[in-house]
């Protein structure tokens, strides 16, 4: 029997997945969690074989949960479910230790097969997403430009970003200007939206 943890902040999706997986003779949902922090704590308490986690959750996102479990409970394989699969997110998920990456729109039986595959030591990436990853544009921004742009999400004042990054206000403005120029947009808000759409943030 493969023990499974389900983590998703949407209760309807979580309970539907639990019901679906409950029909499989070799899978047992041993625990559920509604946010990323609870997912890590619950995994440590129940020691599942596979954790199925949503990419976007409160407290910790799926990537952070994957990294935390890879460090604290390496026997637990992580499958990330996502409503939107962007190629950079796929790479970040694999870098974080996830063994599976599956869009939420996948066929009903696909999740059970992916759970079995990663439990057996394999990996699974949705084929369409893998193909997109091969042709996706590289992020033109440096890690520091991405960090500053991420903090600029909701028109955060430059002084606040400077304090959080331990940079001067002028340096923050330079990073934001560079991001705007490299992405060919007219404002930092547009730069943030474009980087988010491409999955770079």
């Amino acid at each position: 029997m493969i023990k499974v943890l389900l983590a998703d902040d949407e209760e309807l999706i979580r309970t539907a997945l639990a019901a679906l997986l409950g029909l499989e003779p070799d899978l047992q949902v041993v625990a559920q969690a509604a946010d990323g922090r609870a997912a890590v704590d619950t995994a440590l308490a129940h020691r599942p074989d596979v954790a199925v986690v949503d990419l976007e959750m409160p407290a910790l996102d799926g990537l952070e949960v994957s990294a935390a479990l890879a460090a604290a409970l390496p026997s637990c394989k992580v499958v990330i479910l996502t409503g939107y699969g962007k190629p950079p997110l796929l790479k970040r998920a694999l870098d974080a230790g996830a063994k599976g990456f599956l869009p939420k729109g996948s066929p009903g039986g696909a999740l059970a097969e992916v759970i079995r595959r990663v439990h057996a030591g394999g990996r699974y990436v949705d084929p369409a997403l893998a193909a997109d990853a091969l042709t996706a544009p590289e992020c033109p921004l440096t890690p520091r430009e991405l960090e500053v742009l991420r903090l600029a999400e909701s028109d955060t004042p430059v002084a606040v970003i400077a304090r959080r990054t331990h940079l001067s206000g002028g340096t923050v403005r330079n990073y934001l200007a560079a991001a705007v120029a490299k992405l060919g947009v007219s404002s930092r808000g547009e730069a943030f939206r474009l980087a988010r759409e491409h999955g770079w943030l």
Side-chain angles (χ1 to χ4, degrees):
M1 189 67 75
I2 301 172
K3 297 183 295 182
V4 179
L5 162 71
L6 293 176
D8 195 307
D9 58 319
E10 296 182 52
E11 185 177 359
L12 184 62
I13 290 175
R14 199 173 63 244
T15 53
L17 288 175
L20 186 68
L21 295 177
L23 300 174
E24 301 292 332
D26 58 337
L27 304 181
Q28 179 186 12
V29 176
V30 295
Q32 297 182 37
D35 66 60
R37 173 55 56 203
V40 173
D41 293 342
T42 303
L44 293 175
H46 291 270
R47 305 186 76 77
D49 301 305
V50 178
V52 177
V53 302
D54 187 19
L55 178 64
E56 293 191 344
M57 290 186 293
L60 297 174
D61 66 20
L63 302 178
E64 293 167 319
V65 170
S66 185
L69 291 180
L73 190 63
S75 62
C76 178
K77 312 300 186 202
V78 175
V79 174
I80 293 183
L81 289 180
T82 179
Y84 61 98
K86 301 287 185 187
L89 290 174
L90 166 60
K91 182 175 183 340
R92 286 167 49 205
L94 297 175
D95 288 346
K99 300 300 182 189
F101 198 83
L102 188 68
K104 286 185 176 178
S106 299
L111 179 58
E113 288 306 314
V114 171
I115 290 171
R116 292 183 186 103
R117 182 182 294 192
V118 301
H119 179 255
R123 285 187 173 200
Y124 179 85
V125 173
D126 176 68
L129 184 57
D132 287 347
L134 294 174
T135 58
E138 287 291 319
C139 177
L141 306 181
T142 66
R144 196 60 141 164
E145 289 165 352
L146 283 170
E147 178 190 9
V148 169
L149 188 59
R150 186 178 293 113
L151 291 172
E153 174 181 6
S154 48
D155 292 329
T156 307
V158 167
V160 173
I161 298 171
R163 275 198 308 277
R164 291 181 182 166
T165 56
H166 306 291
L167 298 170
S168 71
T171 302
V172 167
R173 279 190 285 277
N174 288 342
Y175 280 130
L176 290 173
V180 167
K182 287 181 179 179
L183 297 179
V185 293
S186 59
S187 71
R188 73 182 199 178
E190 287 179 41
F192 177 86
R193 282 190 294 278
L194 184 61
R196 187 73 182 263
E197 284 171 14
H198 281 293
W200 297 330
L201 291 177

